[in-house]
Each structure stands twice: as C-alpha cells, then as structure tokens.
Amino acid sequence: MPVRRFCGHRSFVKRSETPKLSHGFCKMNVSKSGYRVFSANSSTACTELAKKITERLGVELGKSVVYQEGNAETRVDVKESVRGQNIFIIQTIPKDVNTAIMELLIMAYALKTSCAKNIIGVIPYFPYSKQCKMRKRGSIVCKLLAAMLAKAGLTHIITMDLHQKEIQGFFNFPVDNLRASPFLIQYIQEEIPDYRNAVIVAKSPSAAKRAQSYAERLRLGLAVLHGAASSTESNMSDGLYSPPPIRSTLGHTGLELPLMMAKEKPPISVVGDVGGRIAIIVDDIIDDAEEFVAAAEILKERGAYKIFIMATHGLLSAEAPRLIEESAIDEVVVTNTVPHEVQKLQCPKIKTVDVSMILAEAIRRIHNGESMAYLFRNIAVDD
C-alpha cells in the first residue's frame, strides 16, 4: 500500500509512484497514430475514385457528410474522431470547380479544429492550374489557392501532372506531383496493336517536351504541330501584353524605346512525318477539345490513318464529347483524376485509365514515413 502524507489539503505521493503513472499516460500519446481517408464530396461520381483508393488500402472511407444548404452554402459534418491522426482528403474536381474548392477548404478546417495531426490533400487534378502566370492586369489565381489551402490547415498535397511544375513553388509545404505517363504508356503498349508504327505528336511547340518524353520511352518518332491551330495560351502568358503597350507622355519625353513587333502565327504545318502512321497526340489536359479536333484534321490530311489522344485530365467540358464523336479522332484516353462518366455516355470514343493504384501507394508511403522516390523512378526533370 503506497504511503501518503497529508498536510492540510495537499497530498504527497512517493516519487517511485509518479513515473509509473506518467509512463502509462505518455505511452498512449506516443503510440503510432492511425490514419483516415475522407472524400470532400458526397456525390457518387466524385466518391468513385475515393472508394477505389480505400479498397486498395484496405480501409474504410471516413464517415462524413458534405452537402449544400438551402442558400447554397457548403456544410461539412465529420462523423468520427480524428484526434492525433493523419487525415487524407480526396477531392476530385467536377464541373462546379468553386464549390469543390469550398468543400475542400471547409473540410480541411473542420479537421484542423478537430485536432487532426496532419491533413494531406489528395487533389489529382489541381484546379486553376492554368492561371499560374500573370496576364495583363489579372492575378495568379493558382498562388492564391495555394495560400488558401495552407490557411485552411493542409500540411501536404498529393497531385498529378500539374500544368506547370513550377506551381509547386507556390506552396510552403510539401507537394508530391505524381505522373500518369507510366499508365498511359502501358495503355499504348497493350491496347494499340500496331503502336510500333506510331508517331508521338505535340499539338503545339509548348507540348513538345512532354511528347519527347513519350517518344523516347516508346522508341518512336516525334512530330510537332506549329501554326494558327496551335494553342493561343502562350500569346497571353509570355508577357506580350503585360504591361499594356501604351506609350506614356510623362517622365523623359526624349526616351524612345524600340517597339516589340506583334506576333503573327504562320499557317499550320506539321514538323515530322506522319504519313501512313498512327498519330498519338499527348497532353496534360483535354478540355473543350477544339484544338485537338483541328489537330486531328491536319494529321489526317498529312496521311495519318489512326489518331489517338492521350491526356491525364479529361475535363471534357462544353461540347467536347460531341466534337470528339464527330471528328477524325479514333480514341481519347484519359485517367480518372476527374469524373467524366456522363461524357463517356455521350461519346463511346472516350476511354478511362485507372490511376488509383499510384495514389493509394502515395498515401501508404506518406503515412508510414517511407520514401516517395520509388514513385518517381526513371522520371527526369523535364518529364
């Protein structure tokens, strides 16, 4: 029986008893924390990828409810304890991008205030990634979004094929930018019987590095489209119109700066031989599809007998399914980073490659504190 001495209202315990109680309490807190996987969207289309990831991990999807109230405000209710655990929030981006962002921010903040140890966002397609450069008097929205995610409580992000790799520099916490190219290359090798007779095509000079990476891995030729049908994004993002070309009358009136000549794209041309071959156009995003349809028509005129599109993120907005169905494109292959089941019903040419395997492995490695280098093996800086 431990000996206690009482003096007034103060009690004293023998020193030999204190470490035993303290050790037992500390042991509960230093034990390895668990992890939970939540979906930041309750709709069936958006939870499909989350369910595939949790099935591969052998865990259940976290219990939470995300819904819109009568005034269209987003509400998130987490139905289980997350204290001291690593929490992974999977958020696929549907058509309503801004609602998806608010769902992610509100859920992250809810988990932060519930004392989660780490909050890792699994965002396969990072929204606003095209708005990562200054244009005219606009703003770099991608950087703003990065600051908002950090403020909401995220401590790490897993994403896939950022539109520009430099976006990682907008964050003050780790960002793992996974690649979908191994899955798309495997699809080419297994599903295109005569792929040895193919040529990898970049639909614009800005996409040439990605196309070169595919061509070198598949040991195939390379072709580049250049001209009026190429992407017009580069015209706005290279600083041509920032600042606006207005000559000021203030200051040194005698100073005459040379004016930059306006850009004028030449007629479209194909650099490389595509005659009698399969043309495989590769890119990171396929959205409205008009540029891809125009590129397919040019390649068909130059003698390509089959045309495939390979892209990581199949946004396929507006009239994209109809345009693809009526075009010379034979098949469009995208990953399931973005839900597009409705578009597949509208256009049978759209095929899906599952990338839940690499996302699940990234979650497992981060939780266990293992190196991520295995997921980036044989990937160069330019890939």
Side-chain angles (χ1 to χ4, degrees):
M1 189 75 180
V3 179
R4 293 181 174 85
R5 292 179 294 163
F6 298 91
C7 180
H9 296 287
R10 301 172 66 184
S11 63
F12 298 87
V13 184
K14 289 178 66 177
R15 285 186 180 274
S16 60
E17 193 172 351
T18 305
K20 186 182 293 184
L21 295 173
S22 175
H23 177 72
F25 179 79
C26 292
K27 188 174 182 181
M28 292 174 63
N29 285 273
V30 300
S31 62
K32 188 174 181 180
S33 62
Y35 74 101
R36 291 285 187 276
V37 180
F38 287 88
S39 173
N41 192 306
S42 296
S43 66
T44 305
C46 294
T47 55
E48 183 179 352
L49 179 61
K51 288 178 180 177
K52 287 184 178 181
I53 291 173
T54 52
E55 285 174 4
R56 291 183 180 277
L57 290 169
V59 300
E60 292 184 358
L61 194 62
K63 296 179 176 65
S64 64
V65 179
V66 183
Y67 60 95
Q68 308 292 321
E69 293 187 330
N71 59 353
E73 289 184 356
T74 299
R75 188 175 181 88
V76 174
D77 290 331
V78 179
K79 301 293 187 181
E80 58 184 290
S81 174
V82 296
R83 183 179 295 272
Q85 299 189 59
N86 292 327
I87 304 300
F88 296 86
I89 309 174
I90 300 172
Q91 179 63 313
T92 52
I93 307 298
K95 281 188 175 182
D96 193 349
V97 178
N98 295 327
T99 299
I101 291 171
M102 285 306 301
E103 290 169 347
L104 179 60
L105 292 172
I106 294 171
M107 176 164 276
Y109 190 68
L111 294 167
K112 176 184 176 181
T113 54
S114 299
C115 300
K117 182 180 178 182
N118 293 302
I119 303 172
I120 300 96
V122 184
I123 315 169
Y125 168 65
F126 195 80
Y128 287 102
S129 57
K130 285 188 175 183
Q131 298 189 43
C132 60
K133 297 178 182 179
M134 181 63 75
R135 298 180 180 182
K136 285 191 178 180
R137 300 175 188 85
S139 60
I140 306 176
V141 183
C142 195
K143 184 177 181 180
L144 172 63
L145 181 55
M148 292 167 65
L149 292 172
K151 191 68 176 178
L154 263 68
T155 58
H156 197 141
I157 279 181
I158 302 170
T159 187
M160 181 168 281
D161 283 340
L162 287 169
H163 187 58
Q164 298 288 341
K165 292 186 289 294
E166 291 78 10
I167 290 173
Q168 296 174 78
F170 294 159
F171 296 86
N172 56 6
F173 52 76
V175 176
D176 286 312
N177 182 27
L178 303 176
R179 305 296 196 274
S181 52
F183 298 91
L184 296 175
I185 288 173
Q186 184 181 26
Y187 183 93
I188 292 171
Q189 293 173 325
E190 295 179 355
E191 302 297 329
I192 303 178
D194 197 20
Y195 84 92
R196 291 291 183 188
N197 189 37
V199 59
I200 304 298
V201 180
K203 70 176 178 62
S204 65
S206 60
K209 280 188 177 180
R210 184 184 303 272
Q212 181 182 358
S213 174
Y214 276 73
E216 290 175 353
R217 281 170 166 75
L218 291 165
R219 279 56 171 179
L220 299 176
L222 177 67
V224 180
L225 271 68
H226 176 58
S230 299
S231 174
T232 58
E233 179 185 356
S234 59
N235 286 344
M236 298 297 293
S237 62
D238 63 359
L240 178 62
Y241 301 107
S242 179
I246 300 175
R247 189 177 297 181
S248 174
T249 58
L250 301 177
H252 301 282
T253 55
L255 182 62
E256 289 288 340
L257 296 176
L259 292 176
M260 180 68 75
M261 293 183 64
K263 288 184 178 180
E264 183 178 345
K265 288 192 174 181
I268 191 166
S269 60
V270 180
V271 182
D273 182 21
V274 297
R277 297 190 178 187
I278 301 171
I280 303 175
I281 305 174
V282 297
D283 211 340
D284 61 330
I285 300 171
I286 176 168
D287 193 357
D288 56 16
E290 291 180 359
E291 295 173 359
F292 291 91
V293 170
E297 291 176 359
I298 296 297
L299 293 170
K300 208 72 169 174
E301 291 175 4
R302 299 295 191 277
Y305 69 92
K306 274 190 179 179
I307 299 168
F308 291 82
I309 309 292
M310 299 281 166
T312 304
H313 310 296
L315 305 185
L316 302 167
S317 58
E319 296 294 317
R322 181 184 61 80
L323 291 174
I324 293 169
E325 184 65 24
E326 297 173 357
S327 71
I329 298 171
D330 291 281
E331 198 169 277
V332 174
V333 182
V334 294
T335 70
N336 56 345
T337 56
V338 178
H340 52 265
E341 292 304 316
V342 175
Q343 290 88 332
K344 287 179 70 174
L345 293 175
Q346 297 171 350
C347 178
K349 293 181 180 180
I350 300 172
K351 308 296 180 184
T352 307
V353 174
D354 182 25
V355 292
S356 62
M357 179 191 301
I358 192 170
L359 294 171
E361 181 63 14
I363 291 173
R364 189 192 68 79
R365 286 176 176 270
I366 288 172
H367 171 65
N368 293 331
E370 299 177 19
S371 171
M372 297 287 284
Y374 177 76
L375 303 182
F376 295 95
R377 64 193 188 283
N378 299 327
I379 292 178
V381 177
D382 293 334
D383 288 346

